[in-house]
Amino acid sequence: SGYVKLQIKGGQANPAPPVGPALGQRGINIMEFCKAFNEKTKDFMGKPVPVVITVYKDKKFDFIIKWPPASHFIKEAAKLKGGSQEPGRNIVASITKKQAEEIAKKKMKDLNAHDLDQATKIIMGSARSMGIEVKE
């Protein structure tokens, strides 16, 4: 009957907003989803995890877990809490091209790229848009 896209911290789904209201509208058993999601995302504990939930007419559901966003991995590599307040003007940190390549390898199946080189360019662009410089 539809899709629900959410971003939940890995291993920490609970019935509180935003999970409860989003799933309650569709008539999904919220606790059942939370248990299944927490079980599958133990490895991503505390990291933001995008999830696409497919809701069927009989109130059953499936969900697909994606890798945490590239911005999360970039901040982790640069050891930052957040990006620049003025990206483009104010550079707050830097990562190496090798770090960008490793992030691209992790995110490859979620990115719209044909090869690792293209995926690395996408990650480098994300880093620049956060005010993080990419060094050779």
Side-chain angles (χ1 to χ4, degrees):
S1 69
Y3 297 99
V4 180
K5 291 181 181 180
L6 295 171
Q7 193 164 332
I8 311 166
K9 287 202 182 289
Q12 298 176 358
N14 60 22
V19 180
L23 300 182
Q25 290 173 354
R26 306 268 186 188
I28 293 177
N29 182 334
I30 298 165
M31 287 312 296
E32 192 180 313
F33 168 77
C34 289
K35 282 180 189 157
F37 178 84
N38 290 341
E39 186 63 35
K40 280 191 176 179
T41 58
K42 281 190 288 211
D43 303 343
F44 296 126
M45 187 57 82
K47 295 180 179 177
V49 179
V51 59
V52 179
I53 307 159
T54 307
V55 185
Y56 300 106
K57 285 187 170 71
D58 62 357
K59 307 290 185 226
K60 298 225 182 314
F61 63 89
D62 283 334
F63 60 94
I64 300 166
I65 294 168
K66 298 190 175 195
W67 279 85
S71 60
H72 174 79
F73 288 121
I74 293 167
K75 286 188 286 191
E76 217 172 54
K79 296 177 179 59
L80 285 177
K81 285 209 184 322
S84 172
Q85 295 298 316
E86 313 177 317
R89 289 195 188 131
N90 186 5
I91 293 172
V92 292
S94 65
I95 62 172
T96 64
K97 189 171 182 181
K98 188 170 184 181
Q99 284 175 309
E101 208 169 278
E102 285 171 21
I103 294 168
K105 281 180 191 166
K106 288 181 189 173
K107 289 287 293 173
M108 193 65 186
K109 70 176 178 140
D110 293 340
L111 292 173
N112 189 8
H114 297 294
D115 58 24
L116 186 62
D117 188 46
Q118 294 300 314
T120 304
K121 286 180 181 174
I122 293 170
I123 299 299
M124 288 164 62
S126 297
R128 277 193 295 276
S129 73
M130 294 168 64
I132 297 171
E133 178 182 39
V134 179
K135 293 182 175 173
E136 287 298 318

